[in-house]
Amino acid sequence: MKFTLNLMAASAALALSLSAQAGEVEVLHWWTSGGEAKAAQGLKASLQAKGHTWKDFAVAGGGGDSAMTVLKSRVVSGNAPAAAQIKGPSIQEWAREGLLQPMDEVAKAENWDGVLPKVVSDIMKYQGHYVAAPVNVHRVNWLWANAEVLKKAGVKAAPANWDEFFVAAEALKKVGVIPLAHGGQSWQDFTVFESVALGVGGADFYRKALVQLDPATLGGPTMDKVLETFRKVKSYTDKNAPGRDWNLATAMVIKGEAGMQLMGDWAKGEFVAAGKVPGKDFICAAAPGTAKSFTFNIDSFALFKLKNKANQQAQRDFASAVMSPSFQELFNLNKGSIPVRTDLKMDKFDDCAKLSNADFLATAKSGSLVPSIAHGMAVPSATEGAIKDVVSQFWNNDTVTVAQTKQRLLSAAKSL
């Protein structure tokens, strides 16, 4: 009887302890499709195991535009969620408003500085304090190819530079295949453009021109070659490209209607979903000329200031769970991206992810790990939009000259 009473007392004390610490974490995200939704459930389970309540605030829409509109209205009304999916310079914009909660206690205890590349941790910090937790890394500068189609055209390997790309494109054209699958939307145009800029000019040029927006580099002779190469690439796309969604362009490569596509690693999910095997049915390689560089797109959660003490603890536990090795592995196996932590084993990942991870680690050391402007990682959104418009105008209108485009890029950069 005494043992039973003691056990009941211990259980009551544990329950009281958990309830005292338990809080609610409301998470704004747009993980509403298959693998992403599955990964979100894993994060939810991790928090519930600590006694917290997960309040799902999912807003459909892969780009997150709808989610940002909802978030702004919630913040204005004084009702911000605990965490919101925000990335790149937008993190700094929210932090400047004094709305984000530093997570230094968690970051220091778990050595975030030691397991994140500095170029990544800098994006997650404001004035030296962590205000966001990174989830993953997408590599943007990929080239995807149908292995059988390349073989049919006599192309023995993925093109390693732009000269080889044009030789391969001509060979594909001769066998009646569209050389490059493309979707004519501004973000897709710029995804190709930044890979061309990186492949032609290298990481230092890319950083000066598209991240620092240096006028001398934007208006210099290397940009002439970038734009001329970019226009030549366009000549190998099909006339039905305008307005096409990226996944439909990927489907063209999967079906053998097109030979290649320049797209981030989310394209891999389409190949895998179609039952295709990397290295056998399809080839993943760095975009021409970019094997020693890496353009990244990182999903992350910014953490908003909360008043409730229990919810603050739940928020800290959320940040810890996002950066935990188990979640990083689970999420990225489902998403097609790679862990942002540099200390994880890649045994469970496929060959494309292993190549991506190896290049991520190497470029973090060499200084050629650079943010993707096409995917909101490099410059403020207004400037990004202005530059994308200039590039798409050049892509879509053959009468627009290289000189005019360089001048327009300089003008767009000044909007910063």
Side-chain angles (χ1 to χ4, degrees):
M1 182 68 174
K2 187 177 180 182
F3 171 77
T4 305
L5 288 173
N6 285 343
L7 184 63
M8 289 172 64
S11 298
L14 178 62
L16 191 62
S17 170
L18 276 174
S19 65
Q21 296 173 357
E24 176 185 270
V25 57
E26 184 179 19
V27 183
L28 173 96
H29 64 89
W30 53 89
W31 292 343
T32 54
S33 67
E36 294 172 333
K38 184 179 176 184
Q41 287 301 313
L43 195 56
K44 177 180 178 180
S46 174
L47 286 166
Q48 287 176 331
K50 294 191 176 185
H52 302 306
T53 303
W54 169 285
K55 188 175 181 183
D56 205 45
F57 186 4
V59 180
D65 291 341
S66 300
M68 289 306 97
T69 302
V70 175
L71 177 63
K72 284 171 187 172
S73 66
R74 283 281 302 269
V75 171
V76 167
S77 66
N79 186 28
Q85 196 176 344
I86 300 172
K87 63 183 185 177
S90 293
I91 294 169
Q92 316 299 318
E93 290 171 13
W94 285 101
R96 275 195 291 273
E97 298 296 321
L99 296 164
L100 300 187
Q101 177 64 46
M103 285 288 128
D104 296 336
E105 181 185 329
V106 176
K108 190 173 181 182
E110 298 180 0
N111 190 30
W112 289 11
D113 277 347
V115 298
L116 294 175
K118 188 175 184 299
V119 69
V120 174
S121 60
D122 284 349
I123 293 170
M124 301 301 136
K125 291 177 180 179
Y126 177 68
Q127 295 182 343
H129 302 284
Y130 278 98
V131 291
V135 177
N136 64 346
V137 180
H138 281 293
R139 187 180 199 171
V140 180
N141 59 313
W142 278 114
L143 180 136
W144 306 92
N146 183 307
E148 188 181 333
V149 169
L150 287 195
K151 187 178 178 183
K152 180 183 173 185
V155 179
K156 294 180 180 177
N161 55 52
W162 288 107
D163 288 340
E164 288 185 12
F165 173 87
F166 294 125
V167 170
E170 281 296 327
L172 288 162
K173 205 171 173 182
K174 282 178 184 172
V175 295
V177 173
I178 297 162
L180 185 70
H182 183 67
Q185 297 167 341
S186 65
W187 72 268
Q188 294 191 66
D189 297 342
F190 207 97
T191 295
V192 174
F193 176 76
E194 69 181 24
S195 282
V196 172
L198 189 62
V200 170
D204 287 342
F205 166 82
Y206 178 99
R207 192 180 292 106
K208 286 178 185 174
L210 300 180
V211 181
Q212 298 167 2
L213 304 176
D214 173 59
T217 310
L218 277 172
T222 302
M223 187 57 78
D224 288 6
K225 192 175 179 185
V226 168
L227 288 165
E228 287 159 4
T229 304
F230 181 57
R231 178 159 276 168
K232 190 174 178 182
V233 168
K234 195 223 172 176
S235 69
Y236 291 101
T237 63
D238 68 301
K239 67 180 190 319
N240 296 319
R244 180 186 289 140
D245 288 336
W246 70 269
N247 56 312
L248 298 181
T250 307
M252 291 167 64
V253 180
I254 293 170
K255 293 173 186 173
E257 296 168 4
M260 302 177 285
Q261 182 187 19
L262 291 158
M263 185 53 60
D265 55 19
W266 45 92
K268 182 179 69 177
E270 299 296 308
F271 285 96
V272 173
K276 304 300 181 184
V277 178
K280 180 187 171 188
D281 302 311
F282 68 96
I283 296 166
C284 52
T290 72
K292 293 184 178 178
S293 301
F294 191 118
T295 43
F296 64 81
N297 176 21
I298 294 175
D299 289 315
S300 53
F301 281 104
L303 305 150
F304 283 80
K305 286 183 176 176
L306 304 172
K307 292 176 182 175
N308 181 287
K309 292 278 186 190
N311 290 352
Q312 288 172 1
Q313 182 58 49
Q315 186 184 54
R316 286 190 288 273
D317 287 340
F318 171 83
S320 175
V322 163
M323 275 290 288
S324 68
S326 58
F327 175 73
Q328 290 272 323
E329 181 178 86
L330 168 73
F331 179 80
N332 288 291
L333 282 168
N334 281 294
K335 185 79 159 60
S337 44
I338 60 170
V340 70
R341 295 179 64 112
T342 59
D343 61 342
L344 296 189
K345 290 183 178 179
M346 297 294 288
D347 300 357
K348 295 180 183 177
F349 289 81
D350 63 36
D351 290 347
C352 296
K354 286 174 181 172
L355 173 62
S356 184
N357 186 67
D359 289 348
F360 175 61
L361 297 177
T363 56
K365 290 177 182 175
S366 69
S368 49
L369 178 64
V370 291
S372 167
I373 186 173
H375 297 274
M377 296 305 304
V379 297
S381 54
T383 307
E384 178 192 325
I387 292 173
K388 277 181 178 172
D389 286 346
V390 172
V391 167
S392 282
Q393 285 165 14
F394 179 77
W395 177 269
N396 291 309
N397 187 347
D398 291 342
T399 66
V400 177
T401 67
V402 167
Q404 286 172 327
T405 300
K406 284 166 66 176
Q407 198 55 52
R408 290 173 184 176
L409 284 171
L410 286 166
S411 298
K414 286 174 186 172
S415 67
L416 181 64

